[in-house]
Amino acid sequence: MAKFLAELLGCTLPDKGTPPLFECRSQPHLGMRPSSKQRPSFFGTLSKERAVLDNRLDTMPQTPPFTGQLNSGSYNKNLYQTKEEGYPGLYYNDNNLVSGSLEALIHHLVPTVDYHPDRTYIFTFLLSSRLFIHPYELMSKVCHLCTEQQRLGDPQADKMRVRKIAPKILQLLTEWTETFPYDFRDERMMRSLKELTHRLASGDEIYRKAVSQMSQGLIRRLTVLSQYEEALGKINATAAERLTVLKAKPQAAIQRDLLSICNDPFTVAQQLTHIELERLSYIGPEEFVQAFVHKDPLDNDKNCFSDHKKASNLEAYVDWFNRLSYLVATEICMPGKKKHRARVIEFFIDVARECFNIGNFNSLMAIISGMNMSPVSRLKKTWSKVKTAKFDILEHQMDPSSNFYNYRTALRGATQRSITANSSREKIVIPFFSLLIKDIYFLNEGCANRLQNGHINFEKFWELAKQVSEFMTWKKVECPFEKDRKILQYLLTAPVFTEDALYLASYESEGPENNMEKDRWKSLRLLGKLL
């Protein structure tokens, strides 16, 4: 794929114990652990190679990158309007762009000699425009506006004019290829990009170098993505193979568990953070929009993703959450001895606590979800041997009541710590991902994409971009912990029980307590014999 992209663009490839977030002072729930019916169900719930063109680029008006954008006040919606102020089809409120026709918004994206789009506008429009127009169609329109209106294709065009406009167009293209590289897996995008960059590079050596750097950076990012997807496929295949072995020879496969690989909860929490940050880093911002895309009522064609190879890293990340939850439940239900099961539970409580301190809320919630699954929560004799005070505090922090108020407070604390971080460890913020998706979903569903006059409701998309840009900051953090390949391999590929297998193991450990459980146990045992 890398070779194909290089040929398409006409370039060559280069050779090849954490301090606590804050003290948990919440009081644990007192009394007996609630039953599985009473307990809430948590389950299911710009890069370095940017080309410096010349000093003219530095003088262009620019907003800061999307770093620490925590409130609407810091998210710049006041665009530079030295271009057509009051451009037909654009509407402002207190100098903030609030709506516009699609054509007007596209014009607003394209720089001219006297104007270039604000960085926040570029991100917001490129993120949201795919609800109304294919990325390749948008790129085609951008190319047309640049070549026709700005006379880039005119050999008699004033060289000074070209020198003024070229850096701005290159900056727009660099923003696009760096922030939304997955758009360029579409051959039509690559062809339009090559056409426009060829025009830019034909005028000056400095622009040829800039175009080459941008193109090579894009190819590297797409190559890394392909390698990641291939590695993910191999990991999933290995996990499926080990599950087959487990079904064929359950007693032989059960001899290994996580505690036999590593009995240090701090190390396991750190390795979980490695997995989380790696998988987060591959999620493109456009995937949040793809997840909720509907057919545009004003578009008679199919939706904007039906014929485009979509990235599926968001779905893969959700699958990881589910896998970790089932892995925790499997590790608890596997041991035959009550004492061993209790020790596994206490171990995962300590892992979850360290995840909280690190700021890894996604692994924390996955562990809580696994421990709250019915096959685990029904093991009353096992839980009676567990010191649950620390777990109760963690459950309280992730309590879903009041729209996860406690968790959101902790997330704000982690985010603030990240902004003022003195060490790389303090920069880590890994949100409870299902809730982040839920928040974005309700924002999308709660506001119309278009106003009654047919204009795009850009005020909605400012808010969408603000939420996604915060995630973009979190996903760029590099994991500071040393990798342990053995632990990582186990976490990613160890076989996990299905829900039926978990119930069967749970009943084998602590027998059914009522007729409903007895009937289920009999049917599961019969099913096991038939298989």
Side-chain angles (χ1 to χ4, degrees):
M1 181 177 180
K3 183 179 179 182
F4 165 75
L5 294 174
E7 290 174 352
L8 195 56
L9 280 171
C11 65
T12 56
L13 271 172
D15 298 329
K16 308 214 210 260
T18 309
L21 181 58
F22 53 78
E23 292 297 325
C24 294
R25 294 178 182 172
S26 304
Q27 293 299 316
H29 301 298
L30 301 179
M32 294 182 62
R33 294 190 60 75
S35 68
S36 58
K37 291 183 179 180
Q38 295 170 318
R39 293 162 68 190
S41 174
F42 298 96
F43 188 68
T45 339
L46 283 143
S47 78
K48 295 179 181 178
E49 66 268 3
R50 178 186 296 277
V52 178
L53 302 179
D54 54 20
N55 291 333
R56 288 182 297 240
L57 197 63
D58 297 329
T59 62
M60 291 193 290
Q62 193 62 259
T63 54
F66 296 96
T67 303
Q69 308 274 357
L70 301 179
N71 54 64
S72 57
S74 66
Y75 191 83
N76 185 11
K77 296 186 283 186
N78 188 5
L79 306 181
Y80 297 99
Q81 297 170 48
T82 54
K83 190 185 174 185
E84 307 110 322
E85 289 217 12
Y87 183 85
L90 294 180
Y91 292 87
Y92 294 82
N93 182 21
D94 293 333
N95 291 324
N96 294 330
L97 178 60
V98 294
S99 70
S101 67
L102 180 59
E103 286 301 316
L105 292 168
I106 293 173
H107 274 78
H108 203 57
L109 179 70
V110 179
T112 67
V113 171
D114 302 316
Y115 161 85
H116 93 288
D118 182 87
R119 193 171 197 170
T120 54
Y121 178 76
I122 293 174
F123 177 79
T124 303
F125 184 69
L126 291 180
L127 177 69
S128 59
S129 63
R130 60 200 67 236
L131 289 169
F132 312 99
I133 184 173
H134 292 269
Y136 80 87
E137 291 177 319
L138 176 60
M139 174 60 83
S140 178
K141 287 179 177 289
V142 168
C143 289
H144 174 76
L145 289 172
C146 288
T147 55
E148 299 299 321
Q149 293 191 9
Q150 305 311 317
R151 306 201 303 273
L152 287 181
D154 184 0
Q156 304 301 320
D158 182 4
K159 288 187 177 181
M160 284 300 296
R161 177 185 178 85
V162 174
R163 287 179 180 177
K164 286 182 179 179
I165 189 66
K168 298 176 182 179
I169 296 174
L170 277 172
Q171 183 175 337
L172 169 62
L173 296 177
T174 302
E175 294 280 352
W176 198 337
T177 57
E178 288 186 354
T179 311
F180 299 91
Y182 303 162
D183 286 351
F184 295 87
R185 301 180 93 176
D186 189 326
E187 293 178 24
R188 296 166 294 189
M189 288 286 292
M190 297 298 279
R191 281 195 290 268
S192 293
L193 179 65
K194 181 181 179 180
E195 176 187 341
L196 183 53
T197 53
H198 176 73
R199 294 182 185 277
L200 294 173
S202 61
D204 199 318
E205 177 65 24
I206 192 170
Y207 302 137
R208 280 195 288 274
K209 290 181 179 179
V211 166
S212 177
Q213 285 181 322
M214 179 188 70
S215 301
Q216 290 178 9
L218 173 60
I219 292 168
R220 279 194 296 270
R221 281 184 283 276
L222 293 178
T223 301
V224 169
L225 171 63
S226 295
Q227 292 170 344
Y228 168 72
E229 289 176 336
E230 184 180 343
L232 212 56
K234 290 179 179 178
I235 288 171
N236 293 337
T238 302
E241 183 181 335
R242 292 187 176 182
L243 181 59
T244 303
V245 173
L246 175 65
K247 290 178 178 178
K249 300 179 180 179
Q251 295 307 317
I254 284 175
Q255 290 178 0
R256 292 186 71 192
D257 58 18
L258 180 57
L259 266 70
S260 69
I261 304 293
C262 178
N263 60 5
D264 179 15
F266 294 93
T267 302
V268 172
Q270 291 171 1
Q271 300 312 302
L272 288 172
T273 303
H274 262 296
I275 297 171
E276 298 279 356
L277 286 174
E278 181 184 48
R279 299 207 171 191
L280 274 183
S281 70
Y282 286 99
I283 298 174
E286 73 281 0
E287 293 190 56
F288 291 99
V289 175
Q290 287 173 191
F292 311 127
V293 68
H294 301 293
K295 187 177 183 293
D296 186 355
L298 298 185
D299 183 9
N300 294 322
D301 199 0
K302 47 195 172 182
N303 77 56
C304 296
F305 297 104
S306 56
D307 64 345
H308 177 55
K309 183 181 179 182
K310 297 190 294 184
S312 57
N313 303 305
L314 188 149
E315 290 90 340
Y317 190 54
V318 173
D319 289 343
W320 155 249
F321 179 94
N322 295 340
R323 171 183 167 76
L324 180 54
S325 295
Y326 272 89
L327 178 62
V328 169
T330 300
E331 293 285 323
I332 294 171
C333 290
M334 272 200 309
K337 295 182 179 180
K338 177 173 56 181
K339 183 179 180 181
H340 190 185
R341 291 194 300 273
R343 187 158 66 91
V344 174
I345 290 174
E346 290 183 340
F347 174 78
F348 276 114
I349 291 173
D350 289 336
V351 173
R353 188 183 186 189
E354 181 59 15
C355 286
F356 178 85
N357 288 335
I358 289 172
N360 180 358
F361 298 105
N362 202 57
S363 289
L364 165 61
M365 183 58 94
I367 292 170
I368 291 176
S369 298
M371 297 173 80
N372 274 298
M373 291 177 71
S374 295
V376 177
S377 62
R378 65 167 298 278
L379 299 172
K380 295 180 181 178
K381 294 177 181 178
T382 302
W383 280 102
S384 68
K385 300 293 183 182
V386 176
K387 298 177 182 178
T388 60
K390 288 185 289 185
F391 184 63
D392 290 333
I393 292 174
L394 292 172
E395 275 196 312
H396 183 68
Q397 291 295 335
M398 305 304 286
D399 187 348
S401 62
S402 301
N403 194 19
F404 286 88
Y405 176 82
N406 294 337
Y407 158 70
R408 294 182 190 277
T409 301
L411 181 63
R412 284 195 297 271
T415 303
Q416 188 59 40
R417 183 181 71 178
S418 178
I419 294 171
T420 60
N422 295 317
S423 69
S424 55
R425 294 187 178 198
E426 295 175 343
K427 292 181 181 179
I428 298 172
V429 182
I430 303 172
F432 172 31
F433 198 67
S434 294
L435 187 59
L436 175 64
I437 294 175
K438 179 183 174 183
D439 288 343
I440 294 175
Y441 173 80
F442 279 116
L443 171 62
N444 182 65
E445 292 296 309
C447 303
N449 289 341
R450 291 185 183 269
L451 304 179
Q452 288 185 344
N453 62 1
H455 281 191
I456 290 172
N457 180 9
F458 213 72
E459 202 164 18
K460 165 185 175 175
F461 295 117
W462 286 127
E463 293 303 317
L464 174 64
K466 183 160 70 74
Q467 288 196 25
V468 175
S469 68
E470 189 169 47
F471 166 80
M472 295 289 286
T473 301
W474 294 335
K475 80 166 196 165
K476 290 177 182 177
V477 174
E478 292 186 10
C479 190
F481 308 119
E482 186 178 348
K483 281 188 176 181
D484 188 311
R485 299 289 178 184
K486 197 173 183 180
I487 300 173
L488 288 172
Q489 182 77 1
Y490 186 88
L491 292 171
L492 291 168
T493 64
V496 295
F497 288 168
T498 62
E499 186 175 11
D500 283 346
L502 286 172
Y503 270 111
L504 187 58
S506 179
Y507 293 144
E508 295 288 351
S509 297
E510 296 186 21
E513 293 186 341
N514 52 54
N515 291 331
M516 186 177 70
E517 287 191 344
K518 289 177 182 178
D519 291 341
R520 182 165 193 171
W521 187 30
K522 288 179 182 178
S523 63
L524 288 173
R525 293 177 70 183
L526 179 61
L527 181 62
K529 290 179 181 179
L530 291 175
L531 294 176

